Amino acid sequence: MKPEPESGGEGGVFLEFRRKVQELELLSGATLRLLETLKFTGRISVIVQNGHVLKSGYEEGYFSRRSDNRLI
């Protein structure tokens, strides 16, 4: 578990959480690498209540035609 941010207390923890949300640092590095490998362009949703993940899901969107070089 990571130590509390230097600003301390609940306010400092919330500031760190807000910073992570703003800078898109909510997913682990391993998950980000998987998404990059898949070229995933969909949506990932996570619902949290009282500090616990209640529900998570995704909308598939990684089958992009923009990168296809097909001749029709």
Side-chain angles (χ1 to χ4, degrees):
M1 187 168 216
K2 287 187 174 182
E4 230 174 68
E6 284 182 27
S7 52
E10 224 174 273
V13 173
F14 181 76
L15 289 175
E16 178 67 8
F17 171 72
R18 191 170 73 180
R19 182 193 68 76
K20 285 184 174 282
V21 170
Q22 289 172 341
E23 295 180 13
L24 306 172
E25 294 181 3
L26 294 175
L27 297 175
S28 71
T31 303
L32 290 174
R33 284 189 296 279
L34 282 172
L35 293 172
E36 287 175 4
T37 300
L38 288 171
K39 296 183 174 140
F40 184 84
T41 58
R43 277 188 187 174
I44 296 175
S45 313
V46 179
I47 299 173
V48 178
Q49 184 177 25
N50 295 329
H52 298 284
V53 175
L54 291 181
K55 182 178 179 182
S56 64
Y58 64 94
E59 293 177 26
E60 293 184 41
Y62 56 88
F63 296 109
S64 173
R65 294 285 180 203
R66 283 180 268 153
S67 62
D68 275 355
N69 291 327
R70 294 183 184 185
L71 297 174
I72 298 176

